[in-house]
Structure formats: C-alpha cells, structure tokens
Amino acid sequence: MLVLSRGANEGVKISDDIEVVVLEVKGDTVKLGFRAPREVRILRSEVAEKVAEQNTAAATAGVGHISAAQLPAPKK
Amino acid sequence: MGASSTGLLQVKFIEPILGFENAGTFVLASAEQEGWFTLEELETRYPAFFLADAFAFFPDLDISVDDDIAARLGITDPAQATVFVIATASPGNLTANLAAPIVVNVDTGLAAQVIQDTPLPVAAPFGGSA
C-alpha cells in the first residue's frame, strides 16, 4: 500500500481524472472530498463489504429452491 | 421454477452488483407470488436473486437515488423507476436488504444497486417496519 502524508486542504491525484482532497482533520476523523467522473463508484469500505457479503448470501444458483408458497404476501 | 414466463425484462446493470463483478446482464421476471420477482444472470443463471417490490413490503421505506445515478439510468420521470429489495433466505428466515435496493428503469432496462447513505439494515425481517 502506498502511504502519503497529507494535511487539510491537500490532496492526492489518482490517474488523470480522480482527486481526493483532505477537507478537515478533527480528532481521529478525516473528512475527505472526491472529484471523479460520475461513473466511478465511491463507497465507504465497510459498507461496500457488508453489501457484497449480503449479496453473496442472497445469491442462489437458479431461482428454483424457494417455492412461491414460502414467500410472504405484501402488506395491504 | 418460481418465475413465470410473462413479464420478462432484460436488465443491464450500469455498475456491477457488489460481489459479482462479472455479471452485468440479468433477466427480471415476475414470480408466482404477488409482489415478488426473480433476477437471474442471463447466460449462466448465477447469481440469481429473489426481489421484492420495496414499497409493497416496506411502505415507509425512504430511498434516495442521486441525480448522477438517475441520469445514468435514463430516469427522467420517477414513474420509470421501480425499486426492489433483495431477499436473503436462510432456513426459517427471510430478510430484505434495505440498505442497498435495486433500482430499475422499466423503460430502458438499466439498473443499479443504489447504496443508501442513511443507515438502513441489510437484513430486515419481512413483516417488520422499514
């Protein structure tokens, strides 16, 4: 992992079109700003991991193994 | 199979479903139970997911889709967007992922898993409130 020291209002350029800027450092929290093309997905790491784990748990090989009878009906 | 042959829609994700970076094109179909749908990868049928109509099951759910995502999905009118939650089944338990709903533009077939900024559960029980 590349490690760089940056202070408030300093940034890092990643490739030509992505920039990460340190906006504020307060205690043990750093506020970051991102400039990137809109198709670049920027997520908190732990959120991305949690969603990927849940997606994996939800994925089935084919949709045959839950019968419709096991699915609840919507609220009226 | 749970899916009926009617109401099929080919769905293309504008960015991969997290955890499934190689799967981009799916088939969305109505399931036999009202409010339920299946989402199966087009070629290999893996991954496949059970989706529930988000607002039919969680009427109070507050989902936000940012303008960039909406634009990339080609959504110009909210009526084009259908919001689904992915269901996770384990023995005796069925939960909904409210934190990362699937938004589909029913006109274009473009879709995205839209991760919410607000803290919502990834495994909410069906029948509970959002």
Side-chain angles (χ1 to χ4, degrees):
Chain A
M1 187 189 288
L2 170 68
V3 179
L4 301 172
S5 295
R6 305 273 63 198
N9 300 314
E10 293 181 330
V12 174
K13 280 271 222 183
I14 301 171
S15 196
D16 288 333
D17 51 2
I18 298 174
E19 188 174 21
V20 184
V21 180
V22 178
L23 298 176
E24 186 186 281
V25 184
K26 206 176 195 177
D28 58 3
T29 301
V30 177
K31 199 173 274 182
L32 300 174
F34 300 86
R35 277 191 203 97
R38 66 182 191 177
E39 64 273 11
V40 173
R41 180 154 57 180
I42 300 167
L43 295 170
R44 292 177 178 85
S45 305
E46 73 281 9
V47 172
E49 282 160 22
K50 201 172 167 187
V51 171
E53 269 172 36
Q54 192 65 38
N55 286 344
T56 305
T60 67
V63 291
H65 89 280
I66 308 176
S67 78
Q70 290 171 268
L71 301 173
K75 290 176 180 175
K76 293 290 176 192
Chain B
M1 301 301 293
S4 76
S5 57
T6 56
L8 293 173
L9 176 69
Q10 189 162 314
V11 164
K12 201 166 172 53
F13 278 78
I14 59 169
E15 51 199 25
I17 294 177
L18 288 169
F20 296 97
E21 275 60 34
N22 296 320
T25 307
F26 288 78
V27 175
L28 178 69
S30 303
E32 285 157 17
Q33 174 67 279
E34 185 194 346
W36 285 89
F37 300 83
T38 56
L39 183 72
E40 263 188 319
E41 203 278 333
L42 178 68
E43 299 289 334
T44 64
R45 316 189 84 171
Y46 182 84
F49 300 97
F50 273 92
L51 305 184
D53 178 328
F55 301 118
F57 289 90
F58 300 93
D60 301 328
L61 187 61
D62 190 6
I63 294 298
S64 66
V65 178
D66 74 35
D67 294 347
D68 279 351
I69 297 272
R72 288 171 64 205
L73 292 176
I75 293 170
T76 50
D77 177 345
Q80 293 175 297
T82 305
V83 181
F84 301 96
V85 287
I86 300 181
T88 305
S90 54
N93 198 23
L94 190 68
T95 61
N97 183 350
L98 306 185
I102 303 283
V103 178
V104 179
N105 179 337
V106 288
D107 289 340
T108 62
L110 293 175
Q113 184 170 33
V114 182
I115 289 133
Q116 298 297 295
D117 267 338
T118 50
L120 285 164
V122 294
F126 278 90
S129 58

